[in-house]
Amino acid sequence: MSYSKYLKDTNLVGGKWISADSGETIDVTNPATGDVIGTIPNCGGAETSRAIDAAAAAFPGLASMGLMDRLDLLWKLHDALLDNRDTLAELLTVEQGKPLFEAKGEITIGAAYVRWFAEEARRAKGEIVPAPGGDRRILVTKHPIGVVGMITPWNFPSSMLARKIAPALAVGCTVVAKPATATPYSGLAWGALCEEVGFPSGSVNIVTGSARKIGGAIMEDARVRKLTFTGSTEVGKELIRQSADTVKKVSMELGGNAPFIVFDDADIDKAVQGAIVSKFRNAGQTCVCANRIYVQAGVYDEFVEKLIVETKKMKVGNGLEDGVEQGPMIDMDAVEKVEEFVADATSKGGEVALGGARHDNGQSFFEPTIITQATQDMMFAKEEIFGPIAPVFKFEKEEEAIAWANDTEFGLASYAYTRDIGRIWRLNDQLQYGMIGINSGLITTVEAPFGGVKDSGLGKEGGSQGLEDYLEVKYTAVDF
């Protein structure tokens, strides 16, 4: 096990690696094999409160540290991530299931987020505003918000934490993070790496265990000035409600229901490849996956035929095996939910053109699935699939596709394939989504703001906007 160095079975609180007060632990299993790969502490409110104590105590020192000294630590963190990329990627694949090449890509983009925010922090400038009178100066300055609570999901357990930890540390905020119980080791590895490169004790604290107890302690403590959460819309709304009592700043990256629209004038081969990348990456378990594929009538049959041919080529298996393109789903609950989508679609006239069942590999593997003749009354027209199902809908006119695409409470990512320049601008105006990919099924990049509209969330991660969420603005009037 090359990754044993980062297989931490304790939590990082105030510079010390601790167990749960109760001594209770939680097993962590490999979804590809069902094997238990280790245990983590089942911590709760008491341990989280001590983590907040440590973060609050460390905040003044980190915030007042010289900018270049702080950014030097981030550069060391960036290098440490890349130096240990293969090890961290193997650990990620073992606990989450995604193919190793995807895991390596996740570690790489995590390092890129660290580099981006290390650079962007040097541009977190204030301003001097013209005053109404000549005997006054108006200063607008930016300051780190304080202790930040972070709750991250299991589907991208490293990169989701990267785009929260990196901007927080870059501006001088301290961190209390709760990684997902299903995939905790990638989160704990961030704590180990931050410790290795020299961040002061208490700057980064990682706590595992009960989501309700840990989240409750974070939300109740007024010293936590900001919460950043990636997860379901249902949980996000509850956290927003809880944030009112202590008036926390919140950023929320919530659920999605991404439309993927293919017009008659599209490059069909490119659209098929884009659909496969968008739909089947991480076994369809991403919030920006193509959830509904809308194809114009004139190219519908051609697109479906080519999609089936290319999807059949995908190798399903243990993510550590060479050539695997789709690993297992995270657990059997996820498999049963996907089966529910398939049953609903077929009961309403949908046709399973490929797959549609559990894979012969057993465990939580599921076949890459294509469902044709999809309609707006099927479950996946409204709900996020989070699995390897590609439903293909047929539409006639542009206006119809846009109306169907927007017919959801979600508004995270959307995609469209067309060569019509005018249509591209109409889509930009009319699609109700925070991110739009034109002729590309893979659009996440550290330089751009990642986030949604409507029920898909609040705030942005990445880009210059991602730094602003960890700063607060002060105005100072100076008379002379």
Side-chain angles (χ1 to χ4, degrees):
M1 287 194 310
S2 64
Y3 54 81
S4 58
K5 175 183 178 181
Y6 293 110
L7 194 74
K8 296 291 185 181
D9 61 359
T10 48
N11 286 180
L12 181 60
V13 174
K16 297 179 180 179
W17 291 92
I18 67 162
S19 300
D21 291 352
S22 65
E24 294 180 0
T25 60
I26 300 171
D27 290 344
V28 181
T29 60
N30 181 337
T33 64
D35 295 336
V36 174
I37 58 177
T39 62
I40 55 167
N42 186 10
C43 289
E47 298 90 342
T48 306
S49 293
R50 294 200 297 273
I52 296 170
D53 290 343
F59 172 64
L62 189 65
S64 62
M65 182 184 290
L67 175 63
M68 296 312 298
D69 292 334
R70 195 165 61 240
L71 300 188
D72 181 59
L73 291 174
L74 280 174
W75 277 106
K76 289 178 180 177
L77 180 59
H78 164 271
D79 293 346
L81 284 160
L82 293 184
D83 289 345
N84 293 281
R85 186 190 70 159
D86 290 353
T87 298
L88 295 168
E90 185 178 354
L91 175 61
L92 200 165
T93 291
V94 167
E95 68 173 341
Q96 201 277 332
K98 68 181 58 178
L100 190 58
F101 79 92
E102 287 189 21
K104 290 179 180 180
E106 182 170 341
I107 304 302
T108 300
I109 197 171
Y113 275 112
V114 173
R115 177 173 179 170
W116 169 258
F117 285 115
E119 296 168 345
E120 197 64 14
R122 301 183 69 183
R123 295 183 281 274
K125 298 178 246 184
E127 58 182 336
I128 297 177
V129 179
D135 59 350
R136 171 172 287 192
R137 294 293 182 267
I138 297 174
L139 282 70
V140 179
T141 53
K142 297 179 181 179
H143 306 263
I145 196 166
V147 178
V148 180
M150 303 180 176
I151 302 175
T152 55
W154 52 261
N155 57 338
F156 288 90
S158 186
S159 63
M160 293 297 98
L161 198 50
R163 61 193 195 199
K164 301 177 189 298
I165 280 185
L169 295 177
V171 299
C173 296
T174 52
V175 171
V176 176
K178 185 213 170 296
T181 301
T183 56
Y185 292 121
S186 293
L188 289 165
W190 274 90
L193 289 164
C194 288
E195 184 179 53
E196 285 177 19
V197 302
F199 276 96
S201 295
S203 299
V204 175
N205 306 273
I206 313 289
V207 187
T208 61
S210 166
R212 185 166 295 278
K213 292 178 181 177
I214 294 172
I218 288 173
M219 299 312 294
E220 291 169 5
D221 199 312
R223 294 173 298 173
V224 180
R225 298 311 312 140
K226 172 184 167 64
L227 173 76
T228 172
F229 170 75
T230 300
S232 73
T233 295
E234 180 183 10
V235 174
K237 287 181 176 180
E238 179 59 29
L239 291 170
I240 292 170
R241 283 188 283 268
Q242 292 176 12
S243 72
D245 289 338
T246 52
V247 195
K248 296 188 197 308
K249 188 174 185 177
V250 296
S251 56
M252 298 276 157
E253 197 265 281
L254 307 177
N257 187 356
F260 187 103
I261 310 171
V262 182
F263 292 94
D264 283 348
D265 64 332
D267 179 330
I268 300 303
D269 291 332
K270 188 175 182 179
V272 167
Q273 291 303 318
I276 288 174
V277 168
S278 178
K279 175 68 262 181
F280 295 112
R281 183 166 61 105
N282 199 23
Q285 300 171 119
T286 90
C287 52
V288 295
C289 270
N291 206 70
R292 299 164 290 153
I293 301 176
Y294 294 115
V295 183
Q296 202 158 12
V299 294
Y300 184 90
D301 291 340
E302 178 188 359
F303 178 88
V304 168
E305 181 181 345
K306 289 183 174 181
L307 183 64
I308 291 171
V309 169
E310 294 303 313
T311 304
K312 281 181 177 179
K313 297 177 182 178
M314 293 179 60
K315 181 179 178 180
V316 178
N318 188 319
L320 295 178
E321 297 173 5
D322 290 340
V324 167
E325 295 167 279
Q326 180 186 303
M329 300 188 70
I330 191 65
D331 56 31
M332 291 311 297
D333 286 345
V335 171
E336 291 171 3
K337 183 64 177 178
V338 167
E339 289 177 325
E340 186 180 351
F341 280 112
V342 174
D344 173 78
T346 54
S347 72
K348 296 173 181 175
E351 298 180 6
V352 177
L354 183 69
R358 301 184 187 190
H359 197 276
D360 292 341
N361 286 347
Q363 296 299 325
S364 58
F365 288 92
F366 199 87
E367 296 173 336
T369 298
I370 297 172
I371 295 178
T372 58
Q373 309 306 320
T375 56
Q376 288 294 103
D377 63 339
M378 295 176 183
M379 282 174 55
F380 41 54
K382 301 294 184 184
E383 298 181 27
E384 188 172 22
I385 297 172
F386 237 64
I389 301 177
V392 190
F393 303 68
K394 183 186 295 185
F395 73 91
E396 298 290 339
K397 296 181 179 180
E398 176 182 316
E399 296 79 8
E400 183 180 37
I402 293 173
W404 286 354
N406 289 336
D407 186 20
T408 172
E409 69 268 30
F410 299 109
L412 188 56
S414 58
Y415 309 89
Y417 279 71
T418 179
R419 303 180 198 187
D420 184 325
I421 298 298
R423 175 180 286 141
I424 290 171
W425 292 115
R426 290 192 297 273
L427 292 169
N428 176 256
D429 286 341
Q430 296 174 34
L431 285 175
Q432 298 167 4
Y433 290 84
M435 297 177 286
I436 303 172
I438 302 295
N439 299 326
S440 175
L442 186 61
I443 60 175
T444 302
T445 180
V446 301
E447 298 83 2
F450 186 106
V453 298
K454 300 196 293 187
D455 280 13
S456 285
L458 300 166
K460 303 296 180 184
E461 296 182 322
S464 59
Q465 296 84 354
L467 199 68
E468 295 294 327
D469 267 352
Y470 296 85
L471 294 166
E472 55 186 3
V473 176
K474 294 182 181 179
Y475 147 55
T476 303
V478 182
D479 285 355
F480 57 91

